[in-house]
Amino acid sequence: NAGVTQTPKFQVLKTGQSMTLQCAQDMNHNSMYWYRQDPGMGLRLIYYSASEGTTDKGEVPNGYNVSRLNKREFSLRLESAAPSQTSVYFCASYPSSGPRGYTFGSGTRLTVV
Amino acid sequence: SQKIEQNSEALNIQEGKTATLTCNYTNYSPAYLQWYRQDPGRGPVFLLLIRENEKEKRKERLKVTFDTTLKQSLFHITASQPADSATYLCALTNSGYSTLTFGKGTMLLVSP
């Protein structure tokens, strides 16, 4: 099915470990986004990439890095995981011709112990 | 500071009634406003978009209104069904920006 694919779906990390969350879209969208969702906080933007080759910080970028590998793929890296990064992470994409809605992936549930 | 406010309390209604959800915002000049549906354990799904110069938008049983004077959007689901039970998110894009900012969402529970 066309859409946004995120891997893994679940992950448990120990404090200080690193990991990369993967996101790929097959809709030829230009823009891609990483959000985190916490109870009572809603969705908050971590980083985004308006087009291939560009990345920008969102509302809560500290502790994260991103890579726009190509037009399809946008990864989120936690270099040294902290318990405060326990959250559900969503990747989304958006076409250049708009305005339209975002297409979201199904999320990665990350627990840092 | 910029705020997007949705009712944090769940809205409980009976099947067949019209559900009305509210989204209020402050310190935004939104180019357009969007509504999403989110089911537990799933990503948000786009429902409707309304531009700043539009007052109302409809799609099947859904209707969105946008009042830039009141800084408010209302989201209506007519003839609600138990399958409409979900959390509904409001989101804004400011003029000149390409990112969406989301409200915290309102849970809707439709009982048979």
Side-chain angles (χ1 to χ4, degrees):
Chain A
N1 290 338
V4 177
T5 302
Q6 291 184 235
T7 55
K9 293 192 184 302
F10 301 93
Q11 184 72 48
V12 178
L13 287 180
K14 293 183 178 178
T15 298
Q17 286 185 320
S18 62
M19 81 161 294
T20 300
L21 281 64
Q22 307 287 353
C23 175
Q25 52 92 9
D26 59 4
M27 298 170 287
N28 203 35
H29 287 176
N30 282 334
S31 302
M32 298 184 73
Y33 307 82
W34 277 104
Y35 285 86
R36 60 178 289 174
Q37 188 172 39
D38 304 291
M41 299 297 293
L43 283 159
R44 292 181 293 169
L45 182 64
I46 306 170
Y47 269 96
Y48 67 101
S49 170
S51 62
E52 187 178 355
T54 68
T55 60
D56 284 287
K57 296 179 181 179
E59 180 186 354
V60 289
N62 291 345
Y64 304 95
N65 284 301
V66 290
S67 295
R68 183 74 183 266
L69 304 170
N70 47 55
K71 191 170 186 179
R72 289 187 65 246
E73 299 172 286
F74 188 37
S75 62
L76 178 71
R77 182 159 178 85
L78 287 70
E79 291 290 352
S80 179
S84 61
Q85 294 177 305
T86 293
S87 187
V88 182
Y89 292 86
F90 289 102
C91 177
S93 70
Y94 181 76
S96 59
S97 58
R100 301 185 188 181
Y102 284 18
T103 301
F104 280 85
S106 57
T108 295
R109 184 174 294 274
L110 175 67
T111 303
V112 183
V113 298
Chain B
S1 63
Q2 294 179 324
K3 284 186 183 178
I4 302 173
E5 295 182 336
Q6 296 185 253
N7 199 334
S8 58
E9 291 185 10
L11 177 64
N12 287 276
I13 64 167
Q14 276 198 313
E15 183 175 9
K17 302 292 186 183
T18 295
T20 298
L21 305 176
T22 304
C23 175
N24 294 301
Y25 59 91
T26 55
N27 295 322
Y28 278 97
S29 296
Y32 49 92
L33 184 148
Q34 302 184 17
W35 284 89
Y36 289 76
R37 169 184 173 140
Q38 187 174 23
D39 293 286
R42 309 289 292 271
V45 175
F46 171 70
L47 296 174
L48 277 172
L49 176 153
I50 186 165
R51 299 170 192 260
E52 60 180 331
N53 60 352
E54 296 176 319
K55 292 201 179 296
E56 182 178 301
K57 204 79 167 282
R58 292 176 185 260
K59 179 183 175 182
E60 298 172 354
R61 294 185 296 113
L62 309 180
K63 184 178 85 171
V64 172
T65 63
F66 193 12
D67 189 327
T68 55
T69 301
L70 290 179
K71 299 186 184 300
Q72 181 181 79
S73 175
L74 299 179
F75 177 79
H76 307 272
I77 305 176
T78 58
S80 60
Q81 305 165 0
D84 295 326
S85 298
T87 296
Y88 291 86
L89 307 172
C90 163
L92 299 178
T93 296
N94 247 352
S95 300
Y97 291 88
S98 65
T99 61
L100 270 181
T101 303
F102 284 83
K104 296 177 183 178
T106 299
M107 183 182 294
L108 172 66
L109 299 170
V110 182
S111 54

